[in-house]
Amino acid sequence: MTQQNSDALAADAPTLSPARVRFALLALALGGFGIGATEFVAMGLLPNLAADLIPGVYASDPAAANAQAGWLISAYALGVVVGAPTIAAAAARWPRKKLLLVLLTAFTLGTLASALLPTFGWVLAARFVAALPHGAYFGIASLVAASLMGPGKRARGVALVLSGLTISNVIGVPAITWLGQLAGWRIAYIAVTAIFALTFLAVLLSVPFQPGDKTATMRNELKAFGRAQVWFALGIGAIGFGGLFAVYSYVAPLVTEVTGLGASAVPLVLIVIGLGMTIGNFAGGWAADKSVRRSMFGFYAVMLVALLGLALTAQNVVGLLVFVFLVGGAASALSPTIQTRLMDVARDSQSIAAALNHSALNIGNALGALLGGLAIAAGFGYVAPVWIGLGLTALGLMIAVLSFSWDGLRRRRGEVLGYGTELIQTVTVR
């Protein structure tokens, strides 16, 4: 589907009052707020989870226990990877509001199970199940938001939905991390469950009916996987975004063991990361509507500089705060940029394209957490994940260069790429 076709669909959306549109967008963003909380709270509470769920390992080797607790982060990420394309492809014909409500119900029940199940193995399984709706929710909510925003504002519609996630990192994640430190990590997840229940009511009351794509079939949606540029875009997110999560997954021990601050400083550092993510998200949405290519290259460059600075200055409080802010900001700016790129190159497979971005980013989540945990368990220390993140980000940038170079090569040869002349102009010039 081209930029012009997407804008035409947005223009055909039902006319709503400005107040109703704002309420609906706020409801969609509230879902992102809950997702941010359920995904990222584990990172601030990693030592608490390790001490409670694997106490024997924690008592003998806290670093090994923290690395093992990182599996909870990887399990959630892998749930997103599995659920996003599967649900998006299977439910593309569903009315969008109905699908959002089903997904929010699954979030509520999955997060509640995470809070109540007794052992590490069961909680690990619950985190995987709770993550299954993640990508599909963001994908469908982004399509709804783009329709509500109107023509020419696709990336900003995506950014508005993602703003819930980034604002969660400013307010929700630090606050719930503090609650978890005070009352226990299980209480923290019960609080997240309440956020999802509230989101269900808000979406039920505010989001207008939107039909699904009646022409969509699972076979047609899965055609996206036959396009080389879709795989390039997935690689950009799956590899490059690992840079953020290699740092974020182990931010708690980085703050306490490397910078030498107390555990009470962890929520404050999370607020700084969240502020960077919030600002970066809106900057990325604005920049991607201007030029996807320039936005992607520019923010990847900032992220490389930020990770290098963090690796060199993490022992210093000022260095820690400045560079985690920049890491969060640059990574968050890349999210709407990568999603817009995917929606461009996936043509008519829009539902799965919108969801696949979150599969890609959560492969980065799992990869960053896994490699960072292996480095810590091998005895390289808590700065090692930052260096791993730097390497993953550099690889992501290289894939982006290859993707856009491929576009340019085909354009110079005068080939149509199978997208049609109009889409070539949209994808390759921007």
Side-chain angles (χ1 to χ4, degrees):
M1 183 177 292
T2 66
Q3 170 78 48
Q4 289 87 348
N5 288 341
S6 295
D7 291 345
L9 285 176
D12 291 339
T15 302
L16 302 172
S17 70
R20 176 73 182 277
V21 170
R22 286 193 294 270
F23 188 17
L25 290 171
L26 179 62
L28 295 172
L30 183 60
F33 186 95
I35 292 172
T38 198
E39 181 174 16
F40 295 122
V41 155
M43 298 169 185
L45 293 174
L46 202 64
N48 307 75
L49 288 158
D52 185 55
L53 291 173
I54 41 177
V57 178
Y58 190 84
S60 61
D61 190 346
N66 284 332
Q68 185 176 337
W71 298 357
L72 296 169
I73 299 168
S74 295
Y76 185 93
L78 292 175
V80 179
V81 173
V82 172
T86 305
I87 296 172
R93 297 169 64 97
W94 285 30
R96 290 173 177 172
K97 179 175 180 176
K98 176 183 177 180
L99 180 55
L100 288 172
L101 293 173
V102 170
L103 295 173
L104 287 166
T105 300
F107 271 128
T108 304
L109 296 177
T111 307
L112 182 62
S114 302
L116 299 180
L117 289 171
T119 66
F120 179 80
W122 280 111
V123 173
L124 190 73
R127 297 313 296 149
F128 176 84
V129 172
L132 293 173
H134 177 125
Y137 177 87
F138 272 124
I140 299 302
S142 294
L143 294 175
V144 173
S147 174
L148 293 172
M149 288 286 290
K153 299 179 180 178
R154 276 190 318 158
R156 275 166 281 186
V158 172
L160 273 172
V161 174
L162 291 173
S163 70
L165 186 149
T166 58
I167 292 170
S168 179
N169 281 279
V170 180
I171 302 171
V173 174
I176 296 172
T177 298
W178 174 82
L179 176 64
Q181 290 176 337
L182 186 68
W185 66 268
R186 295 183 186 276
I187 299 298
Y189 277 108
I190 288 174
V192 178
T193 301
I195 294 172
F196 282 126
L198 179 61
T199 304
F200 179 94
L201 292 175
V203 169
L204 179 66
L205 295 173
S206 67
V207 173
F209 172 83
Q210 285 194 3
D213 184 353
K214 295 300 182 183
T215 65
T217 65
M218 180 175 286
R219 181 178 179 180
N220 286 337
E221 288 291 318
L222 293 177
K223 285 181 180 178
F225 289 108
R227 300 179 181 114
Q229 284 290 15
V230 169
W231 286 103
F232 273 125
L234 291 174
I236 291 167
I239 303 299
F241 232 68
L244 169 66
F245 289 108
V247 173
Y248 207 161
S249 298
Y250 302 99
V251 68
L254 182 71
V255 170
T256 57
E257 302 300 324
V258 177
T259 313
L261 301 176
S264 61
V266 174
L268 298 177
V269 175
L270 293 175
I271 290 174
V272 172
I273 297 174
L275 286 170
M277 293 178 75
T278 301
I279 295 170
N281 175 58
F282 286 110
W286 177 84
D289 275 331
K290 302 295 182 183
S291 170
V292 172
R293 179 173 57 86
R294 288 194 296 271
S295 177
M296 192 172 294
F297 289 162
F299 288 118
Y300 259 125
V302 173
M303 193 167 171
L304 285 171
V305 172
L307 285 164
L308 179 60
L310 180 61
L312 296 176
T313 66
Q315 296 85 356
N316 180 275
V317 175
V318 174
L320 173 76
L321 295 177
V322 168
F323 288 114
V324 297
F325 175 86
L326 290 175
V327 168
S332 188
L334 285 167
S335 184
T337 302
I338 296 169
Q339 179 144 338
T340 303
R341 175 68 173 172
L342 262 171
M343 292 167 73
D344 281 341
V345 300
R347 297 166 59 188
D348 292 329
S349 304
Q350 289 291 287
S351 293
I352 198 168
L356 279 174
N357 182 47
H358 299 280
S359 286
L361 301 188
N362 278 273
I363 291 174
N365 186 339
L367 188 62
L370 175 63
L371 294 179
L374 290 175
I376 293 169
F380 290 109
Y382 289 112
V383 178
V386 183
W387 290 108
I388 288 171
L390 184 66
L392 291 172
T393 300
L395 286 174
L397 177 58
M398 290 173 61
I399 296 170
V401 170
L402 288 173
S403 176
F404 286 99
S405 297
W406 178 272
D407 275 349
L409 177 63
R410 288 299 185 90
R411 187 174 65 253
R412 285 191 297 272
R413 289 179 177 177
E415 297 179 18
V416 175
L417 289 178
Y419 300 158
T421 303
E422 179 183 320
L423 185 57
I424 289 236
Q425 293 171 345
T426 299
V427 174
T428 64
V429 174
R430 295 171 68 218

